[in-house]
Amino acid sequence: MLQEESDLSLIIAQIVQKLKGSNLYSQLERQAWASLQRPEIKLESLKEDIKEFFKISGWEKKLQNAVYSELSVFPLPSHPAAPPEHLKEPLVYMRKAQGSWEKRILKSLNSMCTELSIPLARKRPVGEQKELLNKWNEMGTDEPDLSLFRPVYAPKDFLEVLINLRNPNYENGDSLSFRTHLGLIQVPLKVKDIPELKECFVELGLNIGQLGIDDSTQVPPELFENEHVRIGQKEQDSAAAQQYIRQGSPTALRAELWALILNISSQPEDVLYYEQLKTNVIQHDLLVDSLIYKDVKLTASNDDYYFVFEDYLYQVLLCFSRDTSVLSHFAFNSASPPKSYIRGKLGLEEYAVFYPPNGVIPFHGFSMYVAPLCFLYHEPSKLYQIFREMYVRFFFRLHSISSHPSGIVSLCLLFETLLQTYLPQLFYHLREIGAQPLRISFKWMVRAFSGYLATDQLLLLWDRILGYNSLEILAVLAAAVFAFRAVNLMEVTSLAAAEAVLADLSTLKVMPLLQIFLFATVT
Amino acid sequence: MAGKVKWVTDIEKSVLINNFEKRGWVQVTENEDWNFYWMSVQTIRNVFSVEAGYRLSDDQIVNHFPNHYELTRKDLMVKNIKRYRKELEKEGSPLAEKDENGKYLYLDFVPVTYMLPADYNLFVEEFRKSPSSTWIMKPCGKAQGKGIFLINKLSQIKKWSRDSKTSSFVSQSNKEAYVISLYINNPLLIGGRKFDLRLYVLVSTYRPLRCYMYKLGFCRFCTVKYTPSTSELDNMFVHLTNVAIQKHGDYNHIHGGKWTVSNLRLYLESTRGKEVTSKLFDEIHWIIVQSLKAVAPVMNNDKHCFECYGYDIIIDDKLKPWLIEVNASPSLTSSTANDRILKYNLINDTLNIAVPNGEIPDCKWNKSPPKEVLGNYEILYDEELAQGDGADRELRSRQGQSLGPRAGRSRDSGRAVLTTWK
């Protein structure tokens, strides 16, 4: 009991500390002072009256949302003597693996830099700055020569690293048994099985209304949809919105609900901050900018759904790479921001800077994290904020090595375990023909299915990511897709043929697949 | 009815021919006995011209109405709509109601248009009322964006002023005839780019009017960002959405600059809300039906005919749809792989409705196909049904039945879901 209490007070203290530096705090202060003018505030009962005022005027709700937001992001309390690395990643071998992977990426980036004789960063001449400012809304028409640039890495390179992960303390013996894991991931992390998933995702159950299923044309709207929409419209509370969205969000409310859950409200300060980032982009050219250009041109520009928003993607991603506030998420990310040294001062800490400024090196497909959001937000600074928040809450876990249940390693293991346990025949067959399932589904999970599903389906899936504050649903969906196409997959005899069967996911309806896999499959 | 359908076409497009062949139909030449002729618009003119003396027999079907140009020529379309509106006004119909500025509340869906050279003086009067406006000049008889240009000064169309003064007879050859319309310089932009909507509408008969809308329409985006700046008035890549034009620009062959209508719907619902989006789509259906009703009285409702039109619609930034034109011969060329699939399915569904069961047609049939063969088409308007019992009119689009708004007797412009319309 005592331990929990002291944990709680520690958390409270940390959150208060964090919020004290926030904009909300100064707003609350201002409001409190202003409220003294009001007749209902009496000196004798000052504290209670102001509290009451906050409640009625909705400020208490805003504070609640902010606290809830911190709680969602805040990692679980650990032993007071644990060093900060443990917050990033408790397991040593994972930390080591992430460290070597980062070294490789940085080496690749630096060698590209040297080969092409392009500096990592340079200040733009005034003429170039002016030009870029004029073209800010149509950077897509720029045709810089990107042929010499290669993406720093692609998902399949990352997969190879994960496949080679080993826990040096774990000996699973040479003899094969029915417990041997037949997949590619060979680390002993705990993942949920279907009964546990059913408990976790209880709102996706068969007897509970869902958007993505119960709003289809054959179902009369009175049965579920109308009421669900009505409830959604009144929502002001982050935690409640998060609970609500587990059953899906109506399209018209989604933009607001996501902003509520992520606790994003576009204040003037936020717009100013975004403009400041834009100025940084105008003034300095970074090598990663070319990587971003290349990525957008290779992926989103060719996508049936997202090509329209190409210019927004540059506006978001270029600013993102300059945003040093992103650095704070590395406290709980197993990754660390790469360091670069001012020319000639290699090794001297005083001359070290993080590169890129936000510490995130984009890889092939990175822009697809932003693209679906363009369907919801067309104001650049809001789009930016939402993306940034989504990144520091979820997406970073998809490309860093950690033991977190929502980390990509756990997702891969969850996917393989589900397949092996519940579709053993399919798994065995695919393995025999050299088509390890993870080789196909990895790219789906790393991108959170962006670019593979139709946009409306993707948004329904991301609703649930937000609702459950977890990425595990990506692994479940991947397994559900294999289950759905099992009959065809059993007939194939090569990896290429298996890829072909699973090449086109654009006609899939996500929610029925998930529901059937979790709740209607005979186990 | 054991014989195979004999088909002819003078349009060599694989999406057509593959569809005929998959039905096991037999190709013949136009001099032989044919049952089904998919013709170009030039051919239909010959077939139905007075000199040709062509007589179609009961087992022959063609894919155009004889005087389709009443709808598909830019000047005649406008003329017919104007006539239709005046008629409604004369009979005191509530549909012809106007607002305090004299604009039609429910029938203002075509931008202000004049014929040149005939209406030159009227046009000048209108132009002078708002001299900073931009106008778009379109040759009446051309397609694919050919010959179109924008003007914002009277001097740019001096030629037609001369023509209107010097010639005492209106030139019979349609080569010089143009229409000039007020340019919609505030189109709805997505990603900063202008786009238009291409919707396919199948008409099987005009009296009673029976028409179907293809669910899979698409948006065509310009490759260049939109700007109303006068310095870019000549830049067709900014203003004209025709693929024939855009494909000479920075064209991408994977997505072809096209979005499905369902993408548009998702985007608008997410960013603008469900009500205004539904209202927009209701209005689009409304203007299509009204345009068909406008020409129905003058259309030669030949029972051997059906027609699949390509409607071009532009949405402005107030979410109001405008009818730009109707194409009798929408392009069957495919610019991307998805395009090819779409057009193949379009023809497939069209043939299923026009030639029931793929058997030798009998043009005396009632042209009422069963629901199952509609494919991706939905009933847009069925005059017989609409005039039937009022209780049957629960035709919400959600059941895959008739789409379409039912505006009418209420003062609520275009909003009404509960009232009915004829």
Side-chain angles (χ1 to χ4, degrees):
Chain A
M1 242 345 188
L2 206 59
Q3 180 61 28
E4 279 174 36
E5 274 172 29
S6 68
D7 278 347
L8 193 57
S9 44
L10 185 67
I11 296 176
I12 293 175
Q14 282 172 323
I15 293 184
V16 168
Q17 179 74 1
K18 193 109 181 282
L19 288 179
K20 266 204 172 140
S22 78
N23 190 35
L24 181 61
Y25 182 77
S26 33
Q27 279 178 321
L28 284 171
E29 242 190 339
R30 270 202 302 275
Q31 286 294 322
W33 280 106
S35 76
L36 293 178
Q37 311 278 345
R38 302 176 78 89
E40 61 267 21
I41 310 289
K42 308 233 181 350
L43 196 52
E44 317 76 80
S45 49
L46 191 62
K47 198 164 172 190
E48 283 67 38
D49 287 347
I50 294 189
K51 274 201 205 166
E52 187 62 28
F53 166 68
F54 275 167
K55 196 181 278 188
I56 299 176
S57 56
W59 282 98
E60 187 188 75
K61 180 65 55 166
K62 291 202 172 83
L63 180 58
Q64 243 178 345
N65 289 345
V67 172
Y68 189 71
S69 173
E70 291 298 324
L71 281 174
S72 302
V73 174
F74 224 78
L76 300 165
S78 48
H79 194 278
E85 299 94 76
H86 281 219
L87 208 56
K88 287 160 77 73
E89 168 54 49
L91 299 179
V92 175
Y93 75 90
M94 291 268 183
R95 286 206 305 265
K96 283 210 175 112
Q98 173 66 22
S100 355
W101 169 237
E102 273 167 23
K103 278 206 188 74
R104 269 177 65 186
I105 300 176
L106 202 53
K107 196 151 163 237
S108 171
L109 187 64
N110 283 331
S111 63
M112 196 190 322
C113 210
T114 322
E115 254 176 59
L116 304 176
S117 319
I118 297 178
L120 283 176
R122 71 176 173 100
K123 192 167 168 79
R124 287 188 222 268
V126 174
E128 193 185 318
Q129 286 188 29
K130 267 214 191 79
E131 216 192 295
L132 184 56
L133 190 57
N134 285 339
K135 269 210 302 213
W136 182 255
N137 288 324
E138 43 185 10
M139 285 184 271
T141 51
D142 221 355
E143 292 286 352
D145 180 15
L146 300 168
S147 51
L148 296 171
F149 288 96
R150 319 171 296 272
V152 179
Y153 66 94
K156 59 179 180 347
D157 306 316
F158 189 50
L159 178 59
E160 291 307 317
V161 173
L162 300 186
I163 291 174
N164 291 319
L165 264 184
R166 292 289 181 276
N167 181 350
N169 296 332
Y170 184 71
E171 177 60 60
N172 54 358
D174 291 319
S175 55
L176 291 172
S177 73
F178 72 90
R179 278 210 223 132
T180 309
H181 183 70
L182 297 173
L184 294 171
I185 304 292
Q186 292 291 331
V187 288
L189 292 174
K190 172 123 182 51
V191 291
K192 299 187 170 77
D193 57 13
I194 286 195
E196 285 168 318
L197 289 168
K198 270 157 99 155
E199 254 182 67
C200 177
F201 294 116
V202 68
E203 291 86 354
L204 300 183
L206 292 167
N207 55 341
I208 298 187
Q210 298 294 327
L211 286 182
I213 301 177
D214 301 298
D215 53 335
S216 73
T217 48
Q218 285 81 31
V219 179
E222 303 80 54
L223 282 186
F224 165 69
E225 195 182 351
N226 287 348
E227 183 59 20
H228 191 66
V229 172
R230 204 182 56 79
I231 297 176
Q233 282 163 333
K234 297 187 301 180
E235 208 40 80
Q236 288 299 317
D237 182 299
S238 275
Q242 189 168 329
Q243 178 65 31
Y244 169 84
I245 212 175
R246 292 178 179 187
Q247 289 170 272
S249 167
T251 43
L253 303 178
R254 185 173 278 127
E256 274 173 45
L257 282 175
W258 284 23
L260 186 57
I261 294 172
L262 296 169
N263 203 36
I264 304 279
S265 59
S266 239
Q267 303 291 329
E269 301 79 42
D270 304 311
V271 178
L272 267 177
Y273 188 77
Y274 175 74
E275 290 296 318
Q276 181 60 44
L277 292 174
K278 178 176 163 186
T279 312
N280 292 351
V281 176
I282 304 280
Q283 287 178 345
H284 288 89
D285 178 26
L286 299 179
L287 175 64
V288 288
D289 291 352
S290 306
L291 297 176
I292 289 170
Y293 266 108
K294 182 121 193 176
D295 184 42
V296 174
K297 287 284 181 205
L298 285 177
T299 57
S301 301
N302 290 330
D303 187 292
D304 286 338
Y305 296 94
Y306 307 123
F307 72 88
V308 175
F309 303 115
E310 183 182 340
D311 296 320
Y312 285 126
L313 298 180
Y314 300 118
Q315 293 176 5
V316 168
L317 290 167
L318 293 179
C319 288
F320 182 63
S321 49
R322 271 95 172 151
D323 193 344
T324 49
S325 72
V326 174
L327 293 172
S328 57
H329 93 284
F330 284 106
F332 47 85
N333 183 352
S334 63
S336 300
K339 266 199 228 164
S340 177
Y341 297 88
I342 309 273
R343 198 185 291 255
K345 308 280 189 198
L346 190 65
L348 296 174
E349 282 311 311
E350 313 88 77
Y351 294 95
V353 289
F354 291 124
Y355 186 85
N358 72 341
V360 181
I361 297 185
F363 56 89
H364 178 66
F366 192 84
S367 55
M368 295 303 280
Y369 289 140
V370 190
L373 303 173
C374 297
F375 265 83
L376 301 175
Y377 306 99
H378 53 249
E379 203 273 294
S381 73
K382 188 141 195 204
L383 174 63
Y384 178 77
Q385 280 184 285
I386 297 274
F387 165 66
R388 180 179 60 185
E389 193 62 28
M390 292 284 283
Y391 182 82
V392 303
R393 281 206 200 189
F394 304 111
F395 297 144
F396 76 89
R397 300 199 190 278
L398 295 173
H399 59 95
S400 50
I401 304 175
S402 85
S403 58
H404 194 275
S406 272
I408 188 69
V409 183
S410 303
L411 296 185
C412 290
L413 192 57
L414 175 58
F415 164 73
E416 290 189 317
T417 310
L418 284 174
L419 222 53
Q420 184 175 339
T421 313
Y422 300 103
L423 294 159
Q425 211 182 4
L426 176 64
F427 194 99
Y428 195 74
H429 167 74
L430 289 174
R431 193 170 160 271
E432 285 296 293
I433 62 171
Q436 276 277 8
L438 186 59
R439 289 203 184 277
I440 304 177
S441 66
F442 187 69
K443 55 188 183 289
W444 302 338
M445 293 192 285
V446 165
R447 279 213 206 152
F449 281 90
S450 173
Y452 297 106
L453 296 174
T455 307
D456 64 324
Q457 294 300 310
L458 183 79
L459 293 172
L460 287 168
L461 179 67
W462 286 16
D463 280 344
R464 273 67 180 198
I465 293 180
L466 283 166
Y468 290 100
N469 202 27
S470 145
L471 293 164
E472 283 160 310
I473 200 139
L474 297 177
V476 180
L477 179 62
V481 172
F482 272 73
F484 184 62
R485 299 235 170 122
V487 172
N488 290 356
L489 285 169
M490 285 303 291
E491 318 239 318
V492 301
T493 51
S494 71
L495 173 59
E499 299 256 21
V501 169
L502 294 165
D504 183 7
L505 306 183
S506 59
T507 50
L508 293 185
K509 299 274 179 260
V510 159
M511 298 319 298
L513 281 186
L514 285 169
Q515 223 180 36
I516 292 174
F517 186 77
L518 285 176
F519 296 96
T521 306
V522 175
T523 49
Chain B
M1 281 292 178
K4 287 214 195 307
V5 173
K6 304 202 206 46
W7 62 272
V8 193
T9 183
D10 54 3
I11 301 182
E12 292 296 316
K13 287 283 175 220
S14 58
V15 296
L16 275 176
I17 300 184
N18 291 345
N19 265 299
F20 299 145
E21 289 180 351
K22 91 159 184 182
R23 284 167 168 73
W25 293 359
V26 176
Q27 183 172 19
V28 297
T29 65
E30 72 167 6
N31 301 315
E32 300 171 58
D33 254 341
W34 50 264
N35 302 115
F36 186 88
Y37 196 149
W38 187 282
M39 350 179 132
S40 63
V41 285
Q42 288 77 14
T43 313
I44 195 89
R45 218 179 305 160
N46 299 337
V47 165
F48 282 105
S49 74
V50 185
E51 300 94 50
Y54 227 108
R55 271 256 164 289
L56 290 179
S57 52
D58 280 357
D59 62 353
Q60 293 187 307
I61 291 202
V62 296
N63 66 320
H64 288 294
F65 285 92
N67 57 342
H68 64 81
Y69 41 80
E70 294 283 351
L71 180 63
T72 58
R73 253 185 70 116
K74 302 172 181 56
D75 53 349
L76 295 180
M77 177 189 87
V78 174
K79 216 170 67 158
N80 280 312
I81 290 177
K82 284 183 178 172
R83 188 209 77 239
Y84 172 68
R85 294 199 292 221
K86 287 243 150 30
E87 276 169 9
L88 285 178
E89 215 177 326
K90 236 187 274 171
E91 37 174 276
S93 161
L95 294 185
E97 204 179 312
K98 288 186 177 166
D99 66 12
E100 57 276 0
N101 296 323
K103 281 222 167 296
Y104 288 100
L105 278 173
Y106 309 117
L107 298 176
D108 178 34
F109 54 84
V110 176
V112 174
T113 301
Y114 297 99
M115 327 297 169
L116 290 184
D119 295 338
Y120 183 80
N121 293 324
L122 286 171
F123 161 68
V124 170
E125 219 185 291
E126 186 63 39
F127 181 85
R128 294 215 163 105
K129 283 193 211 154
S130 39
S132 59
S133 52
T134 308
W135 294 74
I136 181 165
M137 282 281 281
K138 299 190 255 199
C140 289
K142 298 221 184 95
Q144 303 196 324
K146 293 200 196 84
I148 297 189
F149 59 98
L150 299 178
I151 63 140
N152 61 348
K153 291 199 264 290
L154 276 180
S155 52
Q156 292 160 322
I157 51 165
K158 263 206 296 270
K159 185 166 180 293
W160 284 270
S161 143
R162 265 181 284 128
D163 278 352
S164 80
K165 292 197 189 88
T166 58
S167 51
S168 50
F169 67 94
V170 177
S171 160
Q172 288 304 330
S173 107
N174 296 321
K175 283 201 205 109
E176 287 291 354
Y178 273 71
V179 289
I180 184 162
S181 309
L182 188 59
Y183 183 62
I184 299 163
N185 65 355
N186 61 331
L188 175 67
L189 301 178
I190 297 184
R193 282 184 269 183
K194 177 175 167 180
F195 69 96
D196 79 343
L197 275 177
R198 160 54 60 90
L199 300 168
Y200 295 104
V201 177
L202 170 64
V203 177
S204 50
T205 143
Y206 273 98
R207 291 185 299 276
L209 179 60
R210 193 167 295 132
C211 52
Y212 307 87
M213 171 111 124
Y214 203 61
K215 282 191 264 195
L216 308 178
F218 50 89
C219 307
R220 297 175 292 206
F221 281 87
C222 291
T223 50
V224 176
K225 276 277 198 316
Y226 181 75
T227 165
S229 148
T230 47
S231 59
E232 290 292 336
L233 282 183
D234 301 329
N235 186 347
M236 289 302 114
F237 293 119
V238 169
H239 296 284
L240 298 187
T241 56
N242 314 64
V243 174
I245 305 258
Q246 292 296 332
K247 72 178 185 213
H248 296 294
D250 189 16
Y251 194 70
N252 180 305
H253 285 272
I254 299 179
H255 53 69
K258 291 184 180 164
W259 242 21
T260 59
V261 166
S262 46
N263 275 352
L264 177 66
R265 201 169 189 140
L266 176 64
Y267 176 80
L268 288 177
E269 276 185 15
S270 303
T271 52
R272 304 269 197 143
K274 197 155 184 154
E275 289 80 29
V276 302
T277 306
S278 299
K279 175 162 177 279
L280 168 66
F281 281 91
D282 277 353
E283 273 180 38
I284 290 176
H285 300 150
W286 171 255
I287 66 185
I288 295 178
V289 173
Q290 292 306 307
S291 67
L292 292 172
K293 283 187 157 205
V295 301
V298 303
M299 245 342 161
N300 178 347
N301 194 32
D302 191 313
K303 58 186 192 273
H304 304 93
C305 307
F306 71 92
E307 202 153 19
C308 178
Y309 298 107
Y311 267 76
D312 291 343
I313 300 216
I314 286 197
I315 306 173
D316 71 18
D317 60 9
K318 309 215 178 3
L319 287 200
K320 181 181 159 73
W322 294 93
L323 176 58
I324 299 302
E325 67 167 340
V326 183
N327 292 286
S329 205
S331 162
L332 296 177
T333 318
S334 317
S335 55
T336 70
N338 281 342
D339 213 26
R340 180 181 307 281
I341 297 173
L342 180 137
K343 289 180 177 158
Y344 178 85
N345 288 332
L346 173 69
I347 302 295
N348 186 38
D349 292 336
T350 304
L351 293 179
N352 283 344
I353 294 179
V355 186
N357 301 321
E359 287 167 356
I360 296 193
D362 176 358
C363 66
K364 294 219 199 59
W365 76 294
N366 70 348
K367 304 212 187 210
S368 227
K371 213 188 329 161
E372 301 81 54
V373 312
L374 292 184
N376 288 312
Y377 273 109
E378 283 176 313
I379 300 182
L380 179 58
Y381 183 71
D382 186 328
E383 194 164 9
E384 265 179 354
L385 271 181
Q387 262 148 17
D389 189 352
D392 285 334
R393 274 185 262 207
E394 187 40 63
L395 299 169
R396 282 228 22 124
S397 64
R398 291 188 92 213
Q399 267 112 16
Q401 294 291 314
S402 172
L403 311 160
R406 291 163 239 140
R409 317 226 167 234
S410 71
R411 290 254 169 279
D412 201 11
S413 108
R415 213 41 213 337
V417 174
L418 306 167
T419 56
T420 60
W421 51 288
K422 297 207 245 283

